[in-house]
Amino acid sequence: YELFDVQVLELSEGQTLTLSIMATDANIFPSPGVTRGEPMLFRIVSIEELLSLLYTREIALRGRFEEVISQLEELNNDLLFHRDVAARVDAAGANAVQEDRVSLNTSATRSGNNLRRQANELSSIIEGFEEVVRQLINNAVPPQQLAENMRSSIVDPMKVVSAEMLPSADRAVGALRVAAQDGQPTELLVANANAEVTKVIVALKVVLENVRDMAEFHEALRDLKAILDELQKNRDETKKLQKN
């Protein structure tokens, strides 16, 4: 990231700052090529307004995060249901009911596809929260520890789930899918896939509690700002009455 010190510009709330990037190449003849990017417009806001904007963004990210957990729980319930199906198929062997085999194969394929979709969505959510953290740091929003707490309790644990736990769950579901397609025993593989997905859900629910706590903190800051604004309004009106 390229950092710009804008304090020297002495900008005030309500003003706008436009940033344009220009690139030139090393052509000598006939002359260097020049390209200018689309201008980026920034509006100067107060810390309180910034927090309000970030709070709104956090609410949207939390909703998406909750949906990821909900989808994983549905996936896990499907795997749990098919443990009994897998047990019947393994016990019957070559005489297994074709409907059970098809159901098991469909469940394994569906679970793998859904798991990858949720992994991609979680990566996008992580980027969203990381952007919020950078906004807090770059704008020096007090308290300074707020951004680091968000990174350590929300972003970093999400990255662990994304980089380590979800790939492990994907491998377990993949092994189940291959075994189901090849007509191999699947009961233990279903149980293993179920256990791996459960670990992911448990870890994400811990993070979700941290997300909710952080949102409540930002909501409290927003409410406090509203109270202070109302007090200032009453104070101004009182001064006006005293003057009259």
Side-chain angles (χ1 to χ4, degrees), residues 59-229:
I59 293 298
L61 289 170
R62 185 179 71 181
R64 292 169 58 191
F65 188 44
E66 290 172 338
E67 180 61 23
V68 167
I69 295 176
S70 176
Q71 288 292 324
L72 291 175
E73 287 177 332
E74 288 185 15
L75 185 158
N76 218 24
N77 290 336
D78 188 45
L79 289 173
L80 191 60
F81 171 80
H82 281 87
R83 288 181 67 174
D84 293 336
V85 177
R88 288 200 304 268
V89 171
D90 289 357
N95 299 321
V97 177
Q98 184 63 20
E99 187 180 74
D100 282 347
R101 288 190 179 278
V102 172
S103 177
L104 189 59
N105 192 10
T106 301
S107 173
T109 301
R110 181 173 59 238
S111 296
N113 293 338
N114 194 8
L115 197 59
R116 283 187 289 275
R117 281 197 300 273
Q118 302 317 313
N120 291 335
E121 175 67 358
L122 183 62
S123 295
S124 176
I125 293 170
I126 291 172
E127 291 178 6
F129 275 109
E130 184 66 51
E131 174 63 21
V132 172
V133 170
R134 286 198 297 268
Q135 290 271 14
L136 293 172
I137 293 175
N138 292 343
N139 290 281
V141 176
Q144 293 292 299
Q145 192 62 29
L146 179 63
E148 290 305 322
N149 288 345
M150 179 175 287
R151 176 167 281 157
S152 63
S153 63
I154 296 175
V155 177
D156 289 345
M158 279 189 185
K159 287 182 178 178
V160 171
V161 174
S162 178
E164 300 176 13
M165 302 179 72
L166 272 172
S168 179
D170 187 51
R171 287 192 294 270
V173 172
L176 168 62
R177 183 175 62 253
V178 172
Q181 292 173 346
D182 294 344
Q184 299 297 318
T186 55
E187 183 179 4
L188 292 179
L189 294 175
V190 173
N192 184 46
N194 180 237
E196 291 295 329
V197 176
T198 298
K199 291 178 184 177
V200 172
I201 293 172
V202 170
L204 291 182
K205 283 188 173 180
V206 172
V207 179
L208 179 59
E209 288 303 312
N210 294 333
V211 172
R212 287 171 174 165
D213 290 343
M214 191 65 66
E216 289 176 359
F217 176 75
H218 285 169
E219 187 174 8
L221 284 178
R222 187 189 62 180
D223 292 344
L224 179 59
K225 172 62 168 54
I227 293 172
L228 290 174
D229 288 344

